[in-house]
Amino acid sequence: MAATRKVKLTIVESRCRSGFHTQGQEFIITEDKTICPPVCMELWHYAYPDIWALLNGAELDQGKEKSKCSVISCPDECRVKMQVEVIEC
């Protein structure tokens, strides 16, 4: 039986205007549960393509290298940064 892929979301920086996000918050997303965790919709909108790709085995372009992680910045002046990374099972 194959292991379920998991992606961990970690808020690595937060200057959120609404106070919705705090540094250190973590969320786990799995293949069978890709429902939006309690993050703001704007940040989720930016992060979801990378999350979906990682859940499906992709590696993301990071300049000249490929990686199983990425940092997504909030569209509101990059006030929140969220790391998206595959958890090896």
Side-chain angles (χ1 to χ4, degrees):
M1 183 170 153
T4 300
R5 287 192 182 101
K6 295 180 182 179
V7 173
K8 181 169 100 173
L9 314 178
T10 305
I11 304 297
V12 294
E13 182 180 319
S14 181
R15 296 176 287 119
C16 185
R17 290 179 199 249
S18 67
F20 192 72
H21 297 291
T22 57
Q23 186 173 345
Q25 283 179 305
E26 294 182 349
F27 309 97
I28 304 294
I29 307 298
T30 61
E31 289 176 293
D32 57 347
K33 188 175 180 187
T34 56
I35 297 171
C36 178
V39 297
C40 72
M41 290 309 295
E42 290 83 3
L43 185 57
W44 180 251
H45 174 77
Y46 272 60
Y48 189 73
D50 284 2
I51 294 166
W52 182 252
L54 291 171
L55 284 172
N56 286 284
E59 290 185 338
L60 306 173
D61 288 328
Q62 301 291 324
K64 294 182 180 182
E65 299 177 6
K66 300 239 183 218
S67 177
K68 291 187 178 186
C69 69
S70 180
V71 174
I72 308 298
S73 295
C74 173
D76 183 13
E77 298 178 359
C78 301
R79 292 179 177 274
V80 176
K81 292 185 182 180
M82 180 170 66
Q83 182 171 322
V84 177
E85 62 186 319
V86 172
I87 297 174
E88 297 298 333
C89 301

